[in-house]
Amino acid sequence: MGHDWAEEMLRQHITTGQMRHAYLFSGPRGVGRRSLALRFAQAINCIQPTAPGQPCGECRICRQIEAMQQADLNILQSAQEGDTLKVEAVRELQHMLSLAPYESNYRVALLLRFEEANDSAQNALLKTLEEPNARVVLLVTADDPENLLPTITSRCELLRLRPMAPAALSAELQTRRSLEHVQADLIAQISGGRPGYALRLVDTPDLLAERQQAMQDCLNLLGLSRLERMSFVESLTKNRVRAEAKGDLRGELTAWLSFWRDVMLAGLDNPTQLTNLDYQSEIQQVAARTDTQAAARLVAALEHSFVRLNNANLQVMLDNLLLDWPSLNM
C-alpha cells in the first residue's frame, strides 16, 4: 500500500532485463520495506507469473517466500530487534550465496534491519556487492541510508519508502479490512501512516490493548510521587529476563513518546493533527499545564532512551527518565 511507484519501477527492471544485483529499501519500520522486498523476490522467482514482473502469489515458491521459508531465500537479521548484527553472520551468508540456486532463477538474500549491522559486518558485505554473482540478488532493508556505510548505499538501487497520508491509509483500511471510518482514522494516525504497522494493529487486537495500557500508565505517572514512580518502574521490570523487558519497554516507550510529542505540538498550537486522537482531551489538559520546553525535553529524553535500550540498566534508565516527569493531578 502506498508504494505504487516503487512497485512499477521494480516491475520495469524485471520486464526490461535491467535488474540490479542489490536493492536498498529504506524507511521507518512498518512502512512496508520487508513486504515490498518479498514481493520482488516472488516476482523474480515465481513459477507461473500472471504477467512479466507480476508474481501469481499462489504457486509453491510464492507461498514459501511469503512464509520466508523458501530454499533459495536466505534471510539475515539480528537475533532480536535492537541487537547488533555481527560479521560472522555476514560471512555465513556469503558462503550460502556462493552456492548455485537450488530450484529458482535467483538466490535471494534478504538482509533485514541492516542498520543494526556493525561496521565490520557492513564492510564484509562489500565484497559481495563489489563482485556480484549473476544469479544472486541482495535485498537490504534499513531505516535510513545514512545509518549505513556510504560504500554500501552507493552500490545499491535505493528506494526511499515514505508513510502514506493518514486520510489515504484510512481509506485503504476501510476498503481492505471493512473498518468503520472513526476506527480507520484512529489506526491511520496511531500508525503514523505506516501501512504495515496499521495492518498489524488491525489484525492483532492485543497490540491496541497494550498501547492503551501504556497510554494509561503515562497518564497515571503524572499523579505519582517520585517514590511511587520508582515502585512502578520496579514492577515494570521485575522478574523479567533482559530480552523480554526490552521488548515490552519498546512498546511502552513508543506510546509515551507519541503522547509527549502530541503534548509538545498542542503547546505550540501546531496545526498538525495529533497522533492519539482518542486522547485529545487529556493531551490538551496536560499541554495547558506543562511548559512546552519541558515537553520537548521529555521527547528528546524518550528518543534517546531507544538508543540506550539495549545497553543500559533498564531500571536505572527508567528511574532517571521519570525524574523529570511533570507532577499533575489528572
Side-chain angles (χ1 to χ4, degrees), residues 158-200:
L158 176 59
L159 293 89
R160 295 180 184 270
L161 306 183
R162 305 190 186 283
M164 296 177 66
L169 179 52
S170 174
E172 288 281 1
L173 294 175
Q174 291 172 60
T175 300
R176 295 178 183 234
R177 289 295 192 272
S178 300
L179 294 187
E180 296 293 333
H181 177 75
V182 173
Q183 182 71 354
D185 282 353
L186 174 62
I187 290 178
Q189 286 295 138
I190 293 173
S191 67
R194 294 170 291 165
Y197 183 36
L199 290 174
R200 285 201 298 275

Side-chain angles (χ1 to χ4, degrees), residues 28-298:
R29 293 174 188 179
V31 79
R33 304 172 310 190
R34 183 180 66 178
S35 295
L36 186 57
L38 287 172
R39 293 297 174 275
F40 186 56
Q42 289 175 324
I44 62 178
N45 280 333
C46 178
I47 298 171
Q48 48 191 28
T50 57
Q54 184 66 50
C56 70
E58 300 295 332
C59 70
R60 176 175 54 81
I61 286 183
C62 278
R63 286 186 279 107
Q64 289 174 343
I65 290 175
E66 177 74 21
M68 299 197 296
Q69 295 178 342
Q70 201 263 332
D72 293 314
L73 177 65
N74 299 102
I75 298 172
L76 181 67
Q77 61 183 324
S78 62
Q80 177 177 298
E81 183 178 337
D83 285 352
T84 300
L85 182 67
K86 298 182 179 179
V87 66
E88 292 79 11
V90 173
R91 288 174 178 157
E92 183 178 344
L93 172 69
Q94 289 171 322
H95 170 70
M96 297 299 297
L97 298 182
S98 68
L99 305 175
Y102 176 70
E103 61 176 357
S104 310
N105 297 323
Y106 297 92
R107 186 173 284 277
V108 178
L110 179 59
L111 295 84
L112 299 172
R113 305 190 309 272
F114 202 61
E115 72 275 7
E116 296 176 347
N118 60 26
D119 286 355
S120 296
Q122 293 191 36
N123 277 315
L125 186 66
L126 279 177
K127 183 177 181 181
T128 303
L129 290 170
E130 291 169 345
E131 303 173 9
N133 183 319
R135 297 191 68 185
V136 169
V137 177
L138 300 178
L139 307 178
V140 184
T141 75
D143 56 359
D144 190 325
E146 293 186 2
N147 290 329
L148 302 180
L149 296 177
T151 46
I152 295 284
T153 305
S154 65
R155 287 166 173 79
C156 297
E157 180 78 25
L158 176 59
L159 293 89
R160 295 180 184 270
L161 306 183
R162 305 190 186 283
M164 296 177 66
L169 179 52
S170 174
E172 288 281 1
L173 294 175
Q174 291 172 60
T175 300
R176 295 178 183 234
R177 289 295 192 272
S178 300
L179 294 187
E180 296 293 333
H181 177 75
V182 173
Q183 182 71 354
D185 282 353
L186 174 62
I187 290 178
Q189 286 295 138
I190 293 173
S191 67
R194 294 170 291 165
Y197 183 36
L199 290 174
R200 285 201 298 275
L201 289 172
V202 174
D203 298 336
T204 313
D206 285 351
L207 288 179
L208 280 175
E210 290 168 6
R211 173 253 178 191
Q212 189 171 7
Q213 181 59 59
M215 294 293 286
Q216 195 57 53
D217 289 341
C218 185
L219 290 169
N220 291 342
L221 285 164
L222 293 169
L224 299 182
S225 66
R226 287 187 173 181
L227 182 59
E228 289 171 326
R229 291 174 187 177
M230 290 181 181
S231 297
F232 169 81
V233 168
E234 185 178 1
S235 68
L236 195 64
T237 57
K238 187 178 180 181
N239 298 327
R240 298 178 185 175
V241 299
R242 185 173 176 79
E244 290 175 343
K246 285 191 296 185
D248 290 345
L249 284 176
R250 192 174 294 278
E252 187 92 8
L253 293 174
T254 297
W256 294 0
L257 177 58
S258 72
F259 178 85
W260 285 108
R261 276 180 176 164
D262 278 352
V263 170
M264 181 178 68
L265 292 174
L268 294 170
D269 294 324
N270 193 300
T272 303
Q273 191 173 31
L274 300 182
T275 295
N276 300 287
L277 298 178
D278 49 343
Y279 283 89
Q280 285 190 78
S281 175
E282 292 86 345
I283 289 165
Q284 294 292 350
Q285 289 181 52
V286 174
R289 300 166 63 188
T290 304
D291 180 77
T292 304
Q293 290 185 344
R297 286 194 296 271
L298 274 172

